[in-house]
Amino acid sequence: MTERCQGDTRPRTGPRARTAIVLAAAALLAATSAAFLPGTASAGTTLGASAAEKGRYFGTAVAASRLSDGNYTTILNREFNSVTPENEMKIDATEPQQGRFSYGAAEQIVNHARSRGMSVRGHTLAWHSQQPPWMESMSGSALRSAMLNHVTQVATHFRGQVVAWDVVNEAFEDGTSGARRNSNLQRTGNDWIEAAFRAARTADPGAKLCYNDYNTDNWTHAKTQAVYNMVRDFKSRGVPIDCVGFQSHFNNDSPYVSNYRTTLSSFAALGVDVQVTELDIQGAPAATYRSVVEDCLAVARCNGVTVWGIRDSDSWRASQTPLLFNSSGQKKAAYDAVLAALNNGTTPTDPPTTPPTTPPTTPPSGSCTATLQDSTRWGDRFNSQVTVSGATNWTVVVAVTPPQKVSNTWNGTPTWDSSGNVMTMRSNGSGNVFGFTTMANGTWTRPVVRSCTVS
Ligand code: 9MR
């Protein structure tokens, strides 16, 4: 029998209801256990939780102006575990006058996300578009210095809060030339991109640094090949690049193609992570959404998928109804397809290895008990799940061993101590099983539950 703790506000129930609850709990436990056996289907019920069980994130672009819309934030908080500010971190927003930085709207999104355990993608530090007027009219070495100062200031301001930065956005020409886009930044010298990456690395050494672009999905296209060659060159010369973002705005003129998976895996083979950064698909066909997610899951270094908005009415291409929720916030068929793909997904190019065989740890408890179990393990990271019994409003403290880092959590609200190694996870109404992904960074020590208390 489960001990009832002080602060346990569960309603007391009669014998029949108790039997039903016990049966339901047993079924849930069976489903949950199955979910964490490598290679089997899992039972996540939201995009973020299901993606996290696969060691991935599922994100969305967020507009600060919509955070006061309850329908919008309900879906955001329920479904997503990563956010990208849609416009609030761009150059015109963060440095409207030269040397005068403005972070209010970006911070609103960052705080909303991080206080709920969501990670943040930073978008974008250097771009030919959405430049403030003062920058648009600059050129030469003055522009180069201003651009590098911008990268340094913004990346420094958000240091430690952004897991991945789109350092440079859309620097290549469309069409068949494979050339760099002719922009004021490009005219400062061909090395402007690598200069931006080096400045970003110095400013925030802990963030992944990405190159991000559109129409780079089709492996046979000149633009895709041009970006690939740049990344290969950067890797060979030690330019600090960690990831490539594929915006993936698909429509009738620029459709999804089946070689998309080849594109993702070919870039990953260069030694960079890949991320689907701005996904939307004209008409939101369920099958295409499913394919995109399956392609990401098939590539071990595909970290996650971000859709470019929540409801169709939030989209920059609203008339194409390209998103997962309709304008009233209801789930579309594409949503179900994405969730199913996430729950069915395996990582065939990087099969999980056998989890450590040490028995589950049951630490001494105060008024509740938290049991940590190993689940899926990949080449660079592993998942753990913690089952809490004895309380619904619990707080569990878990520690990982440096240089391990927790990269993702689900079914709880985490906060961190200053070292970043001790996570305090609080219940958020998602039940009594929470999970997290630990980046091993070469150390495979099991995380340890330090305490379980009733909040
Ligand atoms: O969704 C963004 C929209 O609100 C802005 O008006 C537009 C201005 O350029 O930028 C949109 O986001 C773009 C993103 O930053 C980069 N890739 C293309 C996106 C869609 O235009």
Side-chain angles (χ1 to χ4, degrees):
M1 178 165 156
T2 312
E3 221 174 291
R4 295 179 68 88
C5 319
Q6 261 191 341
D8 183 344
T9 54
R10 287 174 301 170
R12 291 183 185 276
T13 50
R16 211 149 17 142
R18 264 204 299 273
T19 309
I21 289 169
V22 168
L23 288 174
L28 182 66
L29 194 63
T32 314
S33 309
F36 286 88
L37 292 174
T40 60
S42 64
T45 55
T46 66
L47 303 172
S50 295
E53 287 172 4
K54 297 295 184 299
R56 299 342 202 261
Y57 61 80
F58 204 96
T60 178
V62 164
S65 60
R66 296 185 197 273
L67 289 176
S68 53
D69 174 341
N71 179 263
Y72 181 86
T73 51
T74 297
I75 304 170
L76 168 64
N77 298 347
R78 186 187 69 217
E79 297 287 343
F80 298 96
N81 59 2
S82 166
V83 307
T84 305
E86 185 171 358
N87 289 297
E88 293 77 356
M89 284 183 169
K90 292 174 179 173
I91 313 172
D92 58 354
T94 49
E95 196 177 358
Q97 279 114 38
Q98 187 170 15
R100 310 191 86 157
F101 291 86
S102 157
Y103 296 118
E107 282 173 346
Q108 216 189 320
I109 297 175
V110 170
N111 294 338
H112 183 100
R114 285 173 48 80
S115 65
R116 290 167 177 80
M118 306 171 188
S119 57
V120 178
R121 291 194 82 261
H123 174 81
T124 173
L125 295 170
W127 191 20
H128 69 277
S129 182
Q130 282 182 272
Q131 292 182 358
W134 65 265
M135 187 181 267
E136 274 175 337
S137 61
M138 279 181 119
S139 62
S141 57
L143 174 60
R144 173 67 71 98
S145 313
M147 180 272 288
L148 292 176
N149 183 54
H150 180 84
V151 170
T152 299
Q153 295 297 327
V154 178
T156 301
H157 182 82
F158 289 105
R159 177 162 49 208
Q161 302 186 63
V162 167
V163 294
W165 268 109
D166 290 333
V167 177
V168 171
N169 197 38
E170 302 176 359
F172 281 78
E173 203 64 71
D174 289 315
T176 55
S177 71
R180 293 280 185 89
R181 180 190 295 277
N182 182 6
S183 70
N184 61 348
L185 291 168
Q186 180 63 27
R187 290 191 293 274
T188 69
N190 204 51
D191 61 344
W192 74 275
I193 298 180
E194 58 195 87
F197 274 87
R198 292 188 205 282
R201 179 67 96 227
T202 304
D204 186 356
K208 286 184 184 176
L209 305 182
C210 302
Y211 175 78
N212 190 53
D213 214 329
Y214 65 92
N215 281 354
T216 47
D217 319 293
N218 188 325
W219 179 239
T220 67
H221 280 181
K223 188 172 175 182
T224 310
Q225 292 299 313
V227 174
Y228 178 84
N229 288 333
M230 178 187 75
V231 174
R232 186 170 55 184
D233 171 53
F234 280 9
K235 291 300 287 182
S236 74
R237 290 191 294 111
V239 176
I241 185 169
D242 306 303
C243 40
V244 176
F246 297 84
Q247 294 184 9
S248 308
H249 294 291
F250 295 120
N251 55 54
N252 297 343
D253 297 326
S254 176
Y256 168 83
V257 284
S258 58
N259 68 28
Y260 185 62
R261 189 179 296 194
T262 302
T263 304
L264 297 181
S265 60
S266 301
F267 274 83
L270 292 176
V272 287
D273 289 347
V274 293
Q275 305 179 346
V276 180
T277 52
E278 303 182 15
L279 179 64
D280 49 24
I281 313 178
Q282 182 168 13
T288 316
Y289 261 106
R290 183 188 312 120
S291 297
V292 172
V293 171
E294 286 173 351
D295 290 343
C296 178
L297 292 174
V299 177
R301 291 197 75 150
C302 184
N303 307 144
V305 174
T306 298
V307 286
W308 206 239
I310 297 177
R311 304 162 303 192
D312 285 333
S313 49
D314 303 319
S315 170
W316 68 302
R317 284 176 168 167
S319 66
Q320 293 187 2
T321 61
L323 295 175
L324 300 178
F325 295 86
N326 70 16
S327 297
S328 317
Q330 279 151 350
K331 296 169 182 173
K332 295 163 61 176
Y335 172 95
D336 297 329
V338 165
L339 188 65
L342 291 169
N343 284 335
N344 291 333
T346 55
T347 53
T349 57
D350 187 6
T353 53
T354 312
T357 50
T358 40
T361 309
T362 306
S365 61
S367 46
C368 53
T369 303
T371 306
L372 185 142
Q373 285 177 301
D374 307 309
S375 65
T376 312
R377 179 167 166 175
W378 293 268
D380 58 347
R381 64 196 187 282
F382 57 93
N383 280 357
S384 308
Q385 70 168 336
V386 177
T387 304
V388 182
S389 60
T392 49
N393 51 343
W394 40 262
T395 299
V396 176
V397 177
V398 178
V400 299
T401 307
Q404 292 176 340
K405 282 275 175 264
V406 174
S407 61
N408 225 337
T409 67
W410 56 97
N411 292 350
T413 302
T415 51
W416 305 90
D417 78 337
S418 56
S419 72
N421 301 313
V422 181
M423 174 175 74
T424 300
M425 183 71 99
R426 290 188 172 79
S427 56
N428 69 353
S430 302
N432 275 13
V433 180
F434 70 87
F436 57 99
T437 304
T438 304
M439 298 306 301
N441 296 326
T443 298
W444 294 92
T445 313
R446 224 159 169 257
V448 174
V449 172
R450 290 201 176 156
S451 64
C452 182
T453 50
V454 177
S455 312

